[in-house]
Amino acid sequence: MRFLVKNYTAAHKKSVILYVLIYPTRKRDLMQKATGNIDGIRRTYITALEGIFEMETDRSEFVSAEIVNALATFTGATGREAMVYLDRAGRVESVIVGEHDRVSLPSLSRRRSEDRLNGLRCIHTHPGGNSALSSVDIQSLKYLRLDAMAAVGVLDGEPTAMQVAILDVPAEETVDGELTVNLFGPYRIHRIPDDQLWEEIEAADARIRPDQSKKAEAEIARAILVGIDVKQGTEDHPLYELRQLADTAGFITVGYVTQARAKPDRTFYFGHGKLQELALEIQKYRADAIIFDDELTPAQVRNIQKELGKIELIDRTALILDIFSGRASTHEGRLQVELAQAKYLLPRMAGYWGHFSRMGGGGAGGGGARRGEGETQLEVDRRLLRRRVVELEREIDKIKSRRDVQRIQRERTNIPIVALVGYTNAGKSTLMNSLSGSDVLAEDKLFATLDPKARKVNLGSGEFLLIDTVGFINKLPHDLVNAFRATLEEAKYADLLLHVVDASSDNFHRQMEVVDDVLKELGAHTNPTMLVYNKCDVAGEVAAGTKGVAISAMTGMGLDNLKDVITKQLAEMRIKVEILLPLDAGALVSRIYANGQVHDCQYEDDGIRISATVAQDDAARLRDAAVV
């Protein structure tokens, strides 16, 4: 499962989420493996446990007897606890193995609002036959907002009974409105009251939802933006872009604090006096979070936290990663974002993990072996996170290999590839919809499109493949560029790049430089590139006299001209040749069949006469090999 790391404000109004470690494993995902403490367990036992992924629980059942028996058999054979997470459709999210007498309960992302149950229920085993839920089980239920927590007692490999806990409304005497818990059972395995438990889950989900007016007020976090050497009040200064990022992440910007200096202070980011001024601004605006325009070092975070007290500190990198985590919708995108987050978190784990303790489901009374003095929890988590980084990199390498194969197959079809590149929110997705007639998500937000999209386009003179890529941004985290390299390299292999520029931005020249820098890093800067100045219906004459095509993807202005230019550009990249080759040039003919479009090929007494439309470099090879 995933570890959910949050840095909460004092009022718990907003949190930046870093998803790291292991993603839930569903049948539709690529990885269906048991995780956790599987060292020293026979592979046959692990394989049998992983068979749970193929088991189904009917929507009306709380859990199937088949899954319970599989968990019990594993626990009886190994002496270790086992756990399964099920969603409300009965699908298996994850299977996890614990230590000899307990199972680690990893934190889950709250897949819905934090004011509802998260839609997952946990069923885990207790060796020794006692099904009583431990205090740690109960705390995990409360913290994770699970639908239910269930413990199955196991004796001699057979399930004895099951106890279930479901959340209730806060009691008046509880501290800070902490949720209470209702216990059900223990039940015999074949006499679980499914209907009653589902009714209780639905009732609990409805009970814990707060009043909507209070909920709306509490969910909006107030942020102060902080930056170095900026000119406040102009649209093109760095904090203007930071405000766009904050808006995209769901914050309300209530103030700005800037300081003119060459570079951030290594201790406090600001000078100490300016930091005290920031403290007064926090009180003035009742801010919940401070958002910095640069990446903070772990030492800066510690020092600033000491001066400012309990307030959420978010740097630019964490903010961008948080936005990306909400935008990723495919398995590949989630892996790429998780890799970038894991690399960002590794050097900062001491700060994030300081308030965490290991959660585990124990036997009756919460007993269980304790971790030894030799290895701290921080060291354990760092080791697990490094292992996860290696796993993610391996998975992304596999995806890159598949992309390479797919790209070779596309090249063999002789369809030219046109890639849209540009600064985020420049209008690439809107342009793709206009050219291809597709319905790719297009919103006036940063990173509205994260996962790449490809559509075939025919402008009347032949087909080409149009690819939309992720938008670039100033100070794009390096780890994020590396994680998305497999996706971004689509631009490297394109026959033509359409560099889409937001001509309505006062800072579009600087944005163009950022895009050029990223293309250089990817090795795509030498590709044929066409500048497309978008939003010219708003910009007016801003792009006049510049080299490029002026359009408005939204209104259709200039699109016919753009289509003509694309058609002409692609036509110039390939030429038609009619040539006579020697009879021993079979390898070259095979290459032309693979990379070009052969119109006619005849084997004659004096050679091979071929007529084909080919790329410029293949045309040169044909001329060099031709019969004189």
Side-chain angles (χ1 to χ4, degrees), residues 230-352:
V230 294
K231 297 179 180 179
Q232 200 162 315
T234 62
E235 189 176 283
D236 60 345
H237 70 71
L239 290 195
Y240 172 75
E241 185 174 86
L242 186 64
R243 177 166 184 165
Q244 287 184 296
L245 289 169
D247 290 344
T248 302
F251 290 92
I252 291 180
T253 300
V254 295
Y256 303 87
V257 176
T258 63
Q259 184 174 40
R261 54 187 303 142
K263 59 183 180 179
D265 179 72
R266 289 187 297 179
T267 304
F268 294 111
Y269 184 79
F270 279 158
H272 193 267
K274 179 63 72 171
L275 195 65
Q276 299 305 312
E277 179 183 326
L278 176 59
L280 295 176
E281 292 293 298
I282 293 171
Q283 296 178 12
K284 175 181 177 182
Y285 292 109
R286 301 192 307 278
D288 304 306
I290 306 298
I291 302 178
F292 293 80
D293 195 40
D294 297 278
E295 183 173 316
L296 298 177
T297 65
Q300 285 174 325
V301 172
R302 289 193 300 270
N303 294 331
I304 295 172
Q305 200 79 63
K306 289 179 181 178
E307 293 293 324
L308 300 183
K310 293 183 178 180
I311 188 167
E312 186 176 8
L313 304 181
I314 306 168
D315 64 18
R316 184 185 181 94
T317 299
L319 190 64
I320 292 175
L321 290 176
D322 184 43
I323 295 171
F324 267 60
S325 70
R327 292 286 189 264
S329 59
T330 65
H331 178 70
E332 176 186 355
R334 294 195 300 268
L335 288 178
Q336 290 164 330
V337 173
E338 187 189 1
L339 176 60
Q341 291 174 325
K343 288 186 174 180
Y344 171 81
L345 184 61
L346 259 174
R348 297 167 173 81
M349 287 183 69
Y352 282 107

Side-chain angles (χ1 to χ4, degrees), residues 534-546:
N534 190 28
K535 306 184 184 180
C536 287
D537 56 324
V538 178
E541 299 297 320
V542 68
T546 57

Side-chain angles (χ1 to χ4, degrees), residues 166-429:
I166 297 175
L167 292 173
D168 198 359
V169 295
E172 294 182 0
E173 63 272 15
T174 58
V175 179
D176 296 330
E178 183 180 357
L179 295 173
T180 57
V181 172
N182 291 327
L183 295 178
F184 302 90
Y187 304 112
R188 293 186 180 277
I189 299 303
H190 295 288
R191 294 185 179 179
I192 298 173
D194 297 313
D195 292 342
Q196 178 190 352
L197 294 178
W198 277 118
E199 288 177 4
E200 291 292 339
I201 290 173
E202 291 171 1
D205 203 9
R207 284 194 299 263
I208 67 174
R209 297 182 198 176
D211 178 76
Q212 291 301 312
S213 60
K214 294 181 179 179
K215 175 183 175 181
E217 179 182 352
E219 282 183 344
I220 302 175
R222 301 162 60 86
I224 294 177
L225 307 187
V226 170
I228 294 295
D229 195 23
V230 294
K231 297 179 180 179
Q232 200 162 315
T234 62
E235 189 176 283
D236 60 345
H237 70 71
L239 290 195
Y240 172 75
E241 185 174 86
L242 186 64
R243 177 166 184 165
Q244 287 184 296
L245 289 169
D247 290 344
T248 302
F251 290 92
I252 291 180
T253 300
V254 295
Y256 303 87
V257 176
T258 63
Q259 184 174 40
R261 54 187 303 142
K263 59 183 180 179
D265 179 72
R266 289 187 297 179
T267 304
F268 294 111
Y269 184 79
F270 279 158
H272 193 267
K274 179 63 72 171
L275 195 65
Q276 299 305 312
E277 179 183 326
L278 176 59
L280 295 176
E281 292 293 298
I282 293 171
Q283 296 178 12
K284 175 181 177 182
Y285 292 109
R286 301 192 307 278
D288 304 306
I290 306 298
I291 302 178
F292 293 80
D293 195 40
D294 297 278
E295 183 173 316
L296 298 177
T297 65
Q300 285 174 325
V301 172
R302 289 193 300 270
N303 294 331
I304 295 172
Q305 200 79 63
K306 289 179 181 178
E307 293 293 324
L308 300 183
K310 293 183 178 180
I311 188 167
E312 186 176 8
L313 304 181
I314 306 168
D315 64 18
R316 184 185 181 94
T317 299
L319 190 64
I320 292 175
L321 290 176
D322 184 43
I323 295 171
F324 267 60
S325 70
R327 292 286 189 264
S329 59
T330 65
H331 178 70
E332 176 186 355
R334 294 195 300 268
L335 288 178
Q336 290 164 330
V337 173
E338 187 189 1
L339 176 60
Q341 291 174 325
K343 288 186 174 180
Y344 171 81
L345 184 61
L346 259 174
R348 297 167 173 81
M349 287 183 69
Y352 282 107
W353 252 243
H355 60 287
F356 261 122
S357 62
R358 191 181 186 91
M359 294 189 296
R370 302 294 181 185
R371 187 179 56 257
E373 295 285 341
E375 187 174 30
T376 66
Q377 183 58 52
L378 178 60
E379 290 168 344
V380 171
D381 291 331
R382 278 177 174 158
R383 175 165 48 82
L384 291 173
L385 188 53
R386 291 190 187 99
R387 184 186 305 168
R388 181 57 179 161
V389 167
V390 173
E391 292 174 356
L392 288 168
E393 289 175 338
R394 189 179 299 121
E395 279 294 314
I396 292 174
D397 285 342
K398 291 179 182 178
I399 293 172
K400 184 178 184 303
S401 298
R402 288 195 294 270
R403 282 188 177 277
D404 292 340
V405 172
Q406 293 169 356
R407 183 173 58 253
I408 292 172
Q409 291 174 342
R410 287 202 305 261
E411 290 173 352
R412 288 175 178 171
T413 63
N414 304 314
I415 298 179
I417 298 174
V418 178
L420 297 170
V421 298
Y423 212 74
T424 182
N425 205 32
K428 299 186 299 300
S429 297

Side-chain angles (χ1 to χ4, degrees), residues 459 461 464 496 530 560-575 616:
L459 301 181
S461 58
F464 64 87
L496 176 65
M530 180 192 306
D560 289 338
N561 182 36
L562 175 62
K563 293 175 183 178
D564 292 340
V565 175
I566 292 174
T567 300
K568 182 180 178 181
Q569 187 83 8
L570 292 176
E572 291 175 352
M573 293 177 184
R574 292 174 174 262
I575 60 174
Q616 298 280 1

Side-chain angles (χ1 to χ4, degrees), residues 235-236 240-241 244 422-426 472-474 499-517:
E235 189 176 283
D236 60 345
Y240 172 75
E241 185 174 86
Q244 287 184 296
Y423 212 74
T424 182
N425 205 32
F472 304 149
I473 197 169
N474 190 32
H499 181 170
V500 183
V501 180
D502 179 2
S504 67
S505 171
D506 292 339
N507 202 28
F508 75 86
H509 289 294
R510 172 57 186 154
Q511 293 176 359
M512 292 170 65
E513 292 174 0
V514 170
V515 174
D516 290 338
D517 290 341

Side-chain angles (χ1 to χ4, degrees), residues 26-43:
R26 297 188 181 185
K27 294 182 182 179
R28 61 179 175 270
D29 283 342
L30 298 180
M31 296 180 295
Q32 293 188 342
K33 297 180 179 179
T35 59
N37 184 19
I38 60 177
D39 294 339
I41 299 179
R42 291 182 183 177
R43 185 62 224 174

Side-chain angles (χ1 to χ4, degrees), residues 452-626:
K453 303 291 188 300
R455 298 290 186 272
K456 278 188 178 181
V457 179
N458 193 328
L459 301 181
S461 58
E463 286 186 334
F464 64 87
L465 192 66
L466 185 63
I467 297 177
D468 188 12
T469 61
V470 63
F472 304 149
I473 197 169
N474 190 32
K475 302 178 185 176
L476 188 65
H478 184 74
D479 286 333
L480 202 55
V481 174
N482 286 338
F484 276 79
R485 186 171 296 273
T487 299
L488 294 172
E489 281 186 347
E490 293 289 345
K492 179 179 178 180
Y493 299 101
D495 297 292
L496 176 65
L497 298 179
L498 298 185
H499 181 170
V500 183
V501 180
D502 179 2
S504 67
S505 171
D506 292 339
N507 202 28
F508 75 86
H509 289 294
R510 172 57 186 154
Q511 293 176 359
M512 292 170 65
E513 292 174 0
V514 170
V515 174
D516 290 338
D517 290 341
V518 177
L519 290 176
K520 287 179 181 178
E521 185 176 347
L522 296 171
H525 60 292
T526 58
N527 289 26
T529 303
M530 180 192 306
L531 288 174
V532 180
Y533 291 93
N534 190 28
K535 306 184 184 180
C536 287
D537 56 324
V538 178
E541 299 297 320
V542 68
T546 57
K547 185 179 179 180
V549 182
I551 69 163
S552 169
M554 181 66 70
T555 66
M557 183 190 84
L559 285 183
D560 289 338
N561 182 36
L562 175 62
K563 293 175 183 178
D564 292 340
V565 175
I566 292 174
T567 300
K568 182 180 178 181
Q569 187 83 8
L570 292 176
E572 291 175 352
M573 293 177 184
R574 292 174 174 262
I575 60 174
K576 186 175 181 179
V577 295
E578 294 182 3
I579 208 159
L580 182 65
L581 299 173
L583 289 171
D584 61 354
L588 181 55
V589 172
S590 297
R591 175 184 175 85
I592 299 306
Y593 268 100
N595 298 333
Q597 185 177 3
V598 177
H599 307 297
D600 186 45
C601 182
Q602 299 291 333
Y603 282 77
E604 302 175 353
D605 293 338
D606 55 347
I608 307 171
R609 191 169 300 278
I610 187 169
S611 173
T613 299
V614 296
Q616 298 280 1
D617 55 347
D618 283 333
R621 291 187 178 92
L622 288 171
R623 295 190 189 99
D624 291 340

